[in-house]
Amino acid sequence: MTAPASMFRTVLGDGFDRLHPELRRRFSVGLASGEACTGRGVMDRIWHGPAYIKPFLALGATRNILVPRAGRDIPFVIENVPYTDTFGRETVSFVRTFDLPGGPRRFDAQMVLSPKGDRILDYLGTHQHLASELHFAAEADGSLLIRSGEHRFREGPVDVRIPELIGATAEVRESFDDTTGRFRIRVRVVNRRFGPLFGYDGSFTASYTDAGSCGTRPGLRPVREEARA
């Protein structure tokens, strides 16, 4: 019997096999594999767009969404840990901690498979008020491209789509450099009208642990979980 696929293999389909072998292992993290992945590395650059967006970044940072400070050569850790959320869904954490001057900053996301199995739902922040659709694609060079789709804001009975005018599109590219033995990542968040808003690029190494025996450390899961897909 074939073992259940990770949520990332499910959404990529045949494209999963075109990924670099190291990316295939990293995105096999899940309850089926029983593995968690921790990446440790350095962001060569964390950048921001125009000065007027900084208050919005600072507001988001109160809920561990985005990063309010720019910098170069910033150590960081990303924790990808699978678990079952309050609503019985397989979830994989994407919790990034940046060791910035003045204290660490976190950018939290928790990923679940959409009900149709054709995309990933990315719940952002400590209270999952923001949710984004993510579309995955394998590139010809074995790298992974992730693009965001619709964004929604949810709080209590409120459930609204964020218009493109005030929202943004995120693009993530992740690859593996055989020469250095490191993963490379580049993230850009762009608004259709105002242009580039936020991003970072850097590299890291990955280590794998048994998710069942290690469990989910305190503080990794969000304070509040959102049921709406």
Side-chain angles (χ1 to χ4, degrees), residues 7-8 11-12 27 92 94 96 107 109-114 117-124 131-137 144-151 168-172:
M7 66 174 74
F8 309 108
V11 297
L12 277 161
F27 286 90
V92 177
F94 276 71
R96 290 141 285 202
F107 182 5
Q110 315 292 332
M111 297 192 185
V112 305
L113 186 64
S114 70
D118 60 345
R119 65 200 66 186
I120 297 293
L121 302 177
D122 195 26
Y123 294 98
L124 302 178
S132 298
E133 295 179 345
L134 298 181
H135 303 274
F136 284 59
L144 177 64
L145 173 63
I146 307 171
R147 284 197 177 101
S148 64
E150 181 179 281
H151 307 285
T169 299
E171 181 179 281
V172 180

Short mmCIF file of all heavy atoms in Angstrom, two decimals, residues 7-8 11-12 27 92 94 96 107 109-114 117-124 131-137 144-151 168-172:
data_model
loop_
_atom_site.label_atom_id
_atom_site.label_comp_id
_atom_site.label_asym_id
_atom_site.label_seq_id
_atom_site.Cartn_x
_atom_site.Cartn_y
_atom_site.Cartn_z
N MET A 7 1.02 17.05 2.21
CA MET A 7 0.10 18.01 1.58
C MET A 7 0.78 18.72 0.41
O MET A 7 0.12 19.08 -0.57
CB MET A 7 -0.39 19.03 2.62
CG MET A 7 0.67 19.94 3.18
SD MET A 7 -0.03 21.22 4.27
CE MET A 7 -0.43 20.23 5.72
N PHE A 8 2.09 18.88 0.46
CA PHE A 8 2.81 19.58 -0.60
C PHE A 8 2.91 18.71 -1.86
O PHE A 8 2.76 19.20 -2.97
CB PHE A 8 4.18 20.01 -0.10
CG PHE A 8 4.11 20.75 1.21
CD1 PHE A 8 4.53 20.16 2.39
CD2 PHE A 8 3.57 22.03 1.27
CE1 PHE A 8 4.45 20.82 3.59
CE2 PHE A 8 3.48 22.71 2.47
CZ PHE A 8 3.91 22.10 3.64
N VAL A 11 -0.57 18.87 -3.63
CA VAL A 11 -0.90 20.03 -4.45
C VAL A 11 0.02 20.14 -5.68
O VAL A 11 -0.39 20.68 -6.71
CB VAL A 11 -0.86 21.36 -3.64
CG1 VAL A 11 -1.90 21.33 -2.54
CG2 VAL A 11 0.52 21.62 -3.07
N LEU A 12 1.23 19.61 -5.60
CA LEU A 12 2.15 19.69 -6.73
C LEU A 12 1.90 18.57 -7.75
O LEU A 12 2.25 18.72 -8.92
CB LEU A 12 3.60 19.62 -6.24
CG LEU A 12 4.19 20.93 -5.76
CD1 LEU A 12 5.41 20.69 -4.88
CD2 LEU A 12 4.56 21.82 -6.92
N PHE A 27 9.92 19.13 1.70
CA PHE A 27 8.48 19.30 1.55
C PHE A 27 7.72 17.97 1.62
O PHE A 27 6.55 17.91 1.23
CB PHE A 27 8.17 20.10 0.28
CG PHE A 27 8.49 21.55 0.45
CD1 PHE A 27 9.75 22.05 0.14
CD2 PHE A 27 7.55 22.42 0.98
CE1 PHE A 27 10.06 23.38 0.33
CE2 PHE A 27 7.84 23.76 1.18
CZ PHE A 27 9.10 24.25 0.86
N VAL A 92 1.11 22.08 9.11
CA VAL A 92 2.57 22.19 9.18
C VAL A 92 2.92 23.64 9.49
O VAL A 92 2.50 24.55 8.78
CB VAL A 92 3.24 21.74 7.87
CG1 VAL A 92 4.76 21.94 7.97
CG2 VAL A 92 2.93 20.28 7.57
N PHE A 94 5.11 27.01 9.71
CA PHE A 94 6.19 27.74 9.06
C PHE A 94 6.46 28.96 9.94
O PHE A 94 6.03 30.07 9.64
CB PHE A 94 5.80 28.15 7.64
CG PHE A 94 6.02 27.07 6.61
CD1 PHE A 94 5.20 25.96 6.59
CD2 PHE A 94 7.06 27.16 5.70
CE1 PHE A 94 5.40 24.95 5.67
CE2 PHE A 94 7.26 26.15 4.76
CZ PHE A 94 6.43 25.04 4.74
N ARG A 96 9.07 31.48 11.43
CA ARG A 96 10.38 32.05 11.18
C ARG A 96 10.74 33.02 12.30
O ARG A 96 9.94 33.90 12.63
CB ARG A 96 10.39 32.79 9.84
CG ARG A 96 10.29 31.87 8.65
CD ARG A 96 9.42 32.42 7.55
NE ARG A 96 8.01 32.31 7.90
CZ ARG A 96 7.02 32.30 6.99
NH1 ARG A 96 7.28 32.39 5.72
NH2 ARG A 96 5.76 32.19 7.39
N PHE A 107 7.74 35.63 12.37
CA PHE A 107 6.76 35.67 11.29
C PHE A 107 6.15 34.28 11.24
O PHE A 107 6.79 33.33 10.82
CB PHE A 107 7.45 36.04 9.97
CG PHE A 107 6.53 36.16 8.78
CD1 PHE A 107 5.16 36.06 8.89
CD2 PHE A 107 7.06 36.39 7.53
CE1 PHE A 107 4.32 36.17 7.80
CE2 PHE A 107 6.25 36.51 6.41
CZ PHE A 107 4.87 36.39 6.56
N ALA A 109 3.28 31.32 10.37
CA ALA A 109 2.26 30.82 9.45
C ALA A 109 2.04 29.34 9.73
O ALA A 109 2.97 28.63 10.14
CB ALA A 109 2.69 31.03 8.00
N GLN A 110 0.81 28.91 9.53
CA GLN A 110 0.45 27.50 9.69
C GLN A 110 -0.28 27.08 8.42
O GLN A 110 -1.25 27.73 8.01
CB GLN A 110 -0.46 27.30 10.91
CG GLN A 110 -0.02 28.03 12.18
CD GLN A 110 1.25 27.48 12.78
OE1 GLN A 110 1.56 26.31 12.61
NE2 GLN A 110 1.99 28.32 13.50
N MET A 111 0.18 26.01 7.79
CA MET A 111 -0.37 25.59 6.50
C MET A 111 -1.22 24.34 6.63
O MET A 111 -0.84 23.39 7.33
CB MET A 111 0.77 25.35 5.51
CG MET A 111 1.57 26.61 5.21
SD MET A 111 2.67 26.38 3.79
CE MET A 111 3.55 27.95 3.81
N VAL A 112 -2.38 24.36 5.94
CA VAL A 112 -3.25 23.20 5.87
C VAL A 112 -3.65 23.00 4.40
O VAL A 112 -3.59 23.92 3.59
CB VAL A 112 -4.51 23.34 6.75
CG1 VAL A 112 -4.15 23.63 8.20
CG2 VAL A 112 -5.44 24.41 6.20
N LEU A 113 -4.05 21.79 4.08
CA LEU A 113 -4.51 21.48 2.73
C LEU A 113 -5.94 21.97 2.57
O LEU A 113 -6.78 21.79 3.46
CB LEU A 113 -4.44 19.97 2.49
CG LEU A 113 -4.74 19.46 1.09
CD1 LEU A 113 -3.71 19.96 0.09
CD2 LEU A 113 -4.77 17.93 1.10
N SER A 114 -6.24 22.60 1.42
CA SER A 114 -7.60 23.07 1.18
C SER A 114 -8.55 21.88 1.07
O SER A 114 -8.12 20.76 0.77
CB SER A 114 -7.67 23.88 -0.12
OG SER A 114 -7.49 23.03 -1.24
N GLY A 117 -8.14 19.95 -1.98
CA GLY A 117 -6.82 19.36 -2.18
C GLY A 117 -6.04 19.96 -3.33
O GLY A 117 -5.03 19.38 -3.76
N ASP A 118 -6.44 21.15 -3.81
CA ASP A 118 -5.77 21.74 -4.97
C ASP A 118 -4.88 22.92 -4.61
O ASP A 118 -4.23 23.49 -5.49
CB ASP A 118 -6.81 22.18 -6.00
CG ASP A 118 -7.78 23.23 -5.46
OD1 ASP A 118 -7.84 23.40 -4.22
OD2 ASP A 118 -8.48 23.86 -6.27
N ARG A 119 -4.83 23.30 -3.35
CA ARG A 119 -3.99 24.42 -2.92
C ARG A 119 -3.76 24.31 -1.41
O ARG A 119 -4.40 23.53 -0.72
CB ARG A 119 -4.65 25.75 -3.26
CG ARG A 119 -5.96 26.02 -2.51
CD ARG A 119 -6.81 27.07 -3.21
NE ARG A 119 -7.26 26.58 -4.51
CZ ARG A 119 -7.92 27.32 -5.39
NH1 ARG A 119 -8.19 28.57 -5.14
NH2 ARG A 119 -8.31 26.81 -6.54
N ILE A 120 -2.84 25.14 -0.94
CA ILE A 120 -2.55 25.21 0.49
C ILE A 120 -3.19 26.47 1.05
O ILE A 120 -3.19 27.52 0.41
CB ILE A 120 -1.03 25.24 0.73
CG1 ILE A 120 -0.35 23.96 0.24
CG2 ILE A 120 -0.72 25.48 2.20
CD1 ILE A 120 -0.71 22.71 1.01
N LEU A 121 -3.75 26.36 2.24
CA LEU A 121 -4.27 27.52 2.95
C LEU A 121 -3.25 27.92 4.00
O LEU A 121 -2.82 27.09 4.81
CB LEU A 121 -5.61 27.20 3.60
CG LEU A 121 -6.72 26.74 2.65
CD1 LEU A 121 -7.97 26.38 3.44
CD2 LEU A 121 -7.03 27.80 1.60
N ASP A 122 -2.85 29.17 3.97
CA ASP A 122 -1.79 29.69 4.83
C ASP A 122 -2.41 30.63 5.84
O ASP A 122 -2.83 31.74 5.50
CB ASP A 122 -0.78 30.42 3.95
CG ASP A 122 0.54 30.71 4.65
OD1 ASP A 122 0.89 29.96 5.57
OD2 ASP A 122 1.22 31.67 4.25
N TYR A 123 -2.50 30.20 7.10
CA TYR A 123 -3.06 31.02 8.16
C TYR A 123 -1.93 31.77 8.84
O TYR A 123 -0.98 31.17 9.34
CB TYR A 123 -3.80 30.15 9.18
CG TYR A 123 -5.03 29.48 8.63
CD1 TYR A 123 -4.97 28.15 8.19
CD2 TYR A 123 -6.24 30.15 8.54
CE1 TYR A 123 -6.10 27.52 7.68
CE2 TYR A 123 -7.37 29.54 8.03
CZ TYR A 123 -7.30 28.22 7.60
OH TYR A 123 -8.41 27.60 7.09
N LEU A 124 -2.04 33.11 8.88
CA LEU A 124 -0.93 33.95 9.33
C LEU A 124 -1.15 34.48 10.73
O LEU A 124 -2.27 34.85 11.11
CB LEU A 124 -0.75 35.13 8.37
CG LEU A 124 -0.50 34.78 6.90
CD1 LEU A 124 -0.40 36.06 6.07
CD2 LEU A 124 0.75 33.94 6.73
N ALA A 131 -5.76 34.87 6.18
CA ALA A 131 -5.58 33.58 5.51
C ALA A 131 -5.33 33.84 4.03
O ALA A 131 -6.00 34.68 3.42
CB ALA A 131 -6.80 32.69 5.69
N SER A 132 -4.37 33.13 3.46
CA SER A 132 -4.03 33.29 2.05
C SER A 132 -4.07 31.93 1.36
O SER A 132 -3.69 30.91 1.96
CB SER A 132 -2.63 33.88 1.88
OG SER A 132 -2.55 35.16 2.46
N GLU A 133 -4.51 31.93 0.11
CA GLU A 133 -4.37 30.74 -0.73
C GLU A 133 -2.97 30.74 -1.31
O GLU A 133 -2.48 31.76 -1.78
CB GLU A 133 -5.39 30.77 -1.87
CG GLU A 133 -6.83 30.67 -1.43
CD GLU A 133 -7.77 30.72 -2.61
OE1 GLU A 133 -7.33 31.11 -3.72
OE2 GLU A 133 -8.95 30.36 -2.45
N LEU A 134 -2.33 29.57 -1.31
CA LEU A 134 -1.00 29.45 -1.90
C LEU A 134 -1.04 28.43 -3.04
O LEU A 134 -1.61 27.35 -2.90
CB LEU A 134 0.02 29.00 -0.85
CG LEU A 134 0.26 29.93 0.34
CD1 LEU A 134 1.33 29.33 1.25
CD2 LEU A 134 0.65 31.32 -0.10
N HIS A 135 -0.40 28.79 -4.14
CA HIS A 135 -0.32 27.93 -5.31
C HIS A 135 1.14 27.54 -5.52
O HIS A 135 2.01 28.41 -5.62
CB HIS A 135 -0.88 28.66 -6.53
CG HIS A 135 -2.29 29.12 -6.34
ND1 HIS A 135 -3.38 28.31 -6.57
CD2 HIS A 135 -2.80 30.30 -5.88
CE1 HIS A 135 -4.50 28.98 -6.31
NE2 HIS A 135 -4.17 30.18 -5.87
N PHE A 136 1.40 26.24 -5.60
CA PHE A 136 2.75 25.70 -5.68
C PHE A 136 3.04 25.25 -7.11
O PHE A 136 2.18 24.68 -7.79
CB PHE A 136 2.90 24.49 -4.76
CG PHE A 136 3.02 24.83 -3.29
CD1 PHE A 136 2.03 25.54 -2.62
CD2 PHE A 136 4.13 24.41 -2.57
CE1 PHE A 136 2.13 25.83 -1.27
CE2 PHE A 136 4.24 24.70 -1.22
CZ PHE A 136 3.25 25.42 -0.57
N ALA A 137 4.29 25.47 -7.56
CA ALA A 137 4.72 25.01 -8.88
C ALA A 137 6.19 24.63 -8.84
O ALA A 137 7.01 25.31 -8.20
CB ALA A 137 4.50 26.11 -9.93
N LEU A 144 11.36 25.54 -6.31
CA LEU A 144 9.95 25.61 -5.97
C LEU A 144 9.50 27.06 -6.00
O LEU A 144 10.16 27.93 -5.40
CB LEU A 144 9.70 25.02 -4.58
CG LEU A 144 8.26 25.09 -4.04
CD1 LEU A 144 7.32 24.26 -4.90
CD2 LEU A 144 8.21 24.64 -2.58
N LEU A 145 8.38 27.31 -6.68
CA LEU A 145 7.79 28.64 -6.72
C LEU A 145 6.43 28.59 -6.03
O LEU A 145 5.59 27.74 -6.35
CB LEU A 145 7.62 29.11 -8.17
CG LEU A 145 6.87 30.42 -8.39
CD1 LEU A 145 7.60 31.59 -7.75
CD2 LEU A 145 6.64 30.66 -9.87
N ILE A 146 6.21 29.50 -5.09
CA ILE A 146 4.94 29.60 -4.38
C ILE A 146 4.40 31.00 -4.59
O ILE A 146 5.11 31.99 -4.33
CB ILE A 146 5.10 29.33 -2.87
CG1 ILE A 146 5.82 28.00 -2.63
CG2 ILE A 146 3.74 29.34 -2.18
CD1 ILE A 146 6.19 27.77 -1.17
N ARG A 147 3.16 31.10 -5.06
CA ARG A 147 2.51 32.40 -5.24
C ARG A 147 1.22 32.43 -4.45
O ARG A 147 0.48 31.44 -4.41
CB ARG A 147 2.20 32.66 -6.72
CG ARG A 147 3.41 33.03 -7.56
CD ARG A 147 2.96 33.65 -8.88
NE ARG A 147 4.09 34.08 -9.70
CZ ARG A 147 4.56 33.40 -10.73
NH1 ARG A 147 3.98 32.25 -11.07
NH2 ARG A 147 5.58 33.85 -11.43
N SER A 148 0.95 33.58 -3.84
CA SER A 148 -0.29 33.72 -3.08
C SER A 148 -1.43 34.09 -4.02
O SER A 148 -1.23 34.71 -5.07
CB SER A 148 -0.15 34.78 -1.99
OG SER A 148 0.08 36.05 -2.56
N GLY A 149 -2.64 33.68 -3.63
CA GLY A 149 -3.84 34.04 -4.35
C GLY A 149 -4.71 34.93 -3.49
O GLY A 149 -4.25 35.95 -2.97
N GLU A 150 -5.95 34.53 -3.31
CA GLU A 150 -6.89 35.35 -2.53
C GLU A 150 -6.48 35.43 -1.07
O GLU A 150 -6.01 34.45 -0.48
CB GLU A 150 -8.29 34.74 -2.64
CG GLU A 150 -9.36 35.50 -1.90
CD GLU A 150 -10.73 34.87 -2.08
OE1 GLU A 150 -11.35 35.09 -3.14
OE2 GLU A 150 -11.18 34.17 -1.17
N HIS A 151 -6.67 36.62 -0.48
CA HIS A 151 -6.44 36.84 0.95
C HIS A 151 -7.78 37.15 1.61
O HIS A 151 -8.60 37.88 1.05
CB HIS A 151 -5.49 38.02 1.19
CG HIS A 151 -4.20 37.93 0.44
ND1 HIS A 151 -3.18 37.09 0.81
CD2 HIS A 151 -3.75 38.58 -0.66
CE1 HIS A 151 -2.18 37.23 -0.01
NE2 HIS A 151 -2.50 38.13 -0.93
N ALA A 168 -1.80 42.41 -1.18
CA ALA A 168 -0.50 42.24 -1.82
C ALA A 168 -0.36 40.80 -2.28
O ALA A 168 -1.03 39.90 -1.78
CB ALA A 168 0.63 42.61 -0.86
N THR A 169 0.54 40.60 -3.21
CA THR A 169 0.86 39.27 -3.70
C THR A 169 2.23 38.87 -3.20
O THR A 169 3.20 39.64 -3.32
CB THR A 169 0.85 39.24 -5.24
OG1 THR A 169 -0.44 39.60 -5.71
CG2 THR A 169 1.21 37.85 -5.76
N ALA A 170 2.31 37.69 -2.61
CA ALA A 170 3.58 37.18 -2.13
C ALA A 170 4.11 36.14 -3.12
O ALA A 170 3.36 35.32 -3.65
CB ALA A 170 3.42 36.54 -0.75
N GLU A 171 5.41 36.20 -3.35
CA GLU A 171 6.09 35.21 -4.20
C GLU A 171 7.29 34.68 -3.44
O GLU A 171 8.13 35.44 -2.97
CB GLU A 171 6.52 35.83 -5.52
CG GLU A 171 7.20 34.83 -6.45
CD GLU A 171 7.60 35.44 -7.77
OE1 GLU A 171 6.71 35.61 -8.64
OE2 GLU A 171 8.79 35.78 -7.92
N VAL A 172 7.35 33.36 -3.32
CA VAL A 172 8.44 32.69 -2.62
C VAL A 172 9.15 31.77 -3.60
O VAL A 172 8.50 30.96 -4.28
CB VAL A 172 7.93 31.87 -1.42
CG1 VAL A 172 9.08 31.18 -0.70
CG2 VAL A 172 7.13 32.75 -0.46
#
